Amino acid sequence: MKYLAPSVLSCNFASLSQQIRLVEMGGADWIHCDIMDGHFVPNITFGPVIVEAVKKSTKLPIDVHLMIKKPDDFIEEFINAGADYVSVHVEEVVHLNRTINRIKELGAKAGVVINPATPINSIIDIAEFVDLVLIMTVNPGFGGQSFISNSLKRIKETVELRHNLNANFLIEVDGGVNNKTITKIKEAGCDIFVAGSAIFHSDNISASTAELKNLIK
């Protein structure tokens, strides 16, 4: 099954609940929350308070992507705020097994994230223990960037890794997902499609959500 996860990074926070309702009407499966701290990436977004507001606005699974320094210090706070999935960067976390186990102990699903210049095989020793692998297809920090073309090869490598390990993790893609790129991303083997600007910056949020959803069926 394929899942569409609109990223509220690109939404109008003045009408957060309404915009979440619009993507629900369009067939969204998850809600994605990009957390940035201005240190790990050059931007600041929001924290657990907004995740809690998202939780109150939807019954869809909430997918939290931590682009922050020292994510271990904040994991419990985000799970308490309502995160169903929490993903951390392989580039930042030193004791990755411990962090993944901690996320699961706190009752959430655990994911690992790979930046565009990080080799896929960097996750080989953690892959069988995670629930999802998030492949960044832009350099993290800002919404609205263009899809990095060699990411298709990286998605295929991750599919092959999953097969070779007989693992069960979902493959998620974040960055430059729109109606021009999503079909190729699907064909490469993606399971979860994160889209922000393509949905929330459109003239009709529900229609744009439905269009992307139809393209991954």
Side-chain angles (χ1 to χ4, degrees), residues 2 79 89 93 101:
K2 306 295 185 181
I79 292 174
H89 275 260
V93 180
N101 289 336

Side-chain angles (χ1 to χ4, degrees), residues 87-100:
S87 297
V88 296
H89 275 260
V90 66
E91 300 88 1
E92 172 61 20
V93 180
V94 176
H95 304 293
L96 194 51
N97 283 87
R98 180 188 300 166
T99 300
I100 293 300

Side-chain angles (χ1 to χ4, degrees), residues 22-130:
L22 290 173
V23 297
E24 288 178 333
M25 291 169 60
D29 301 293
W30 294 12
I31 300 295
H32 187 82
C33 297
D34 286 305
I35 313 300
M36 306 180 191
D37 64 354
H39 296 283
F40 182 70
V41 294
N43 194 13
I44 298 173
T45 56
F46 53 85
V49 171
I50 295 297
V51 173
E52 187 175 5
V54 172
K55 183 70 173 180
K56 292 177 180 177
S57 301
T58 186
K59 293 184 179 179
L60 296 179
I62 299 173
D63 176 30
V64 170
H65 171 196
L66 297 180
M67 289 174 271
I68 62 176
K69 289 283 188 180
K70 298 182 179 179
D72 295 273
D73 294 345
F74 302 96
I75 285 168
E76 185 169 4
E77 195 171 352
F78 279 103
I79 292 174
N80 289 341
D84 297 291
Y85 288 79
V86 175
S87 297
V88 296
H89 275 260
V90 66
E91 300 88 1
E92 172 61 20
V93 180
V94 176
H95 304 293
L96 194 51
N97 283 87
R98 180 188 300 166
T99 300
I100 293 300
N101 289 336
R102 179 62 173 155
I103 293 169
K104 293 182 177 183
E105 288 168 1
L106 291 168
K109 301 286 188 179
V112 62
V113 192
I114 316 172
N115 277 339
T118 300
I120 297 299
N121 63 13
S122 67
I123 64 162
I124 192 168
D125 292 320
I126 195 66
E128 63 185 292
F129 303 107
V130 300

Side-chain angles (χ1 to χ4, degrees), residues 115-155:
N115 277 339
T118 300
I120 297 299
N121 63 13
S122 67
I123 64 162
I124 192 168
D125 292 320
I126 195 66
E128 63 185 292
F129 303 107
V130 300
D131 298 292
L132 69 85
V133 171
L134 171 51
I135 301 169
M136 292 302 300
T137 47
V138 298
N139 290 296
F142 298 94
Q145 298 184 67
S146 297
F147 182 82
I148 297 174
S149 59
N150 75 338
S151 298
L152 296 173
K153 178 188 69 174
R154 290 164 57 77
I155 297 167

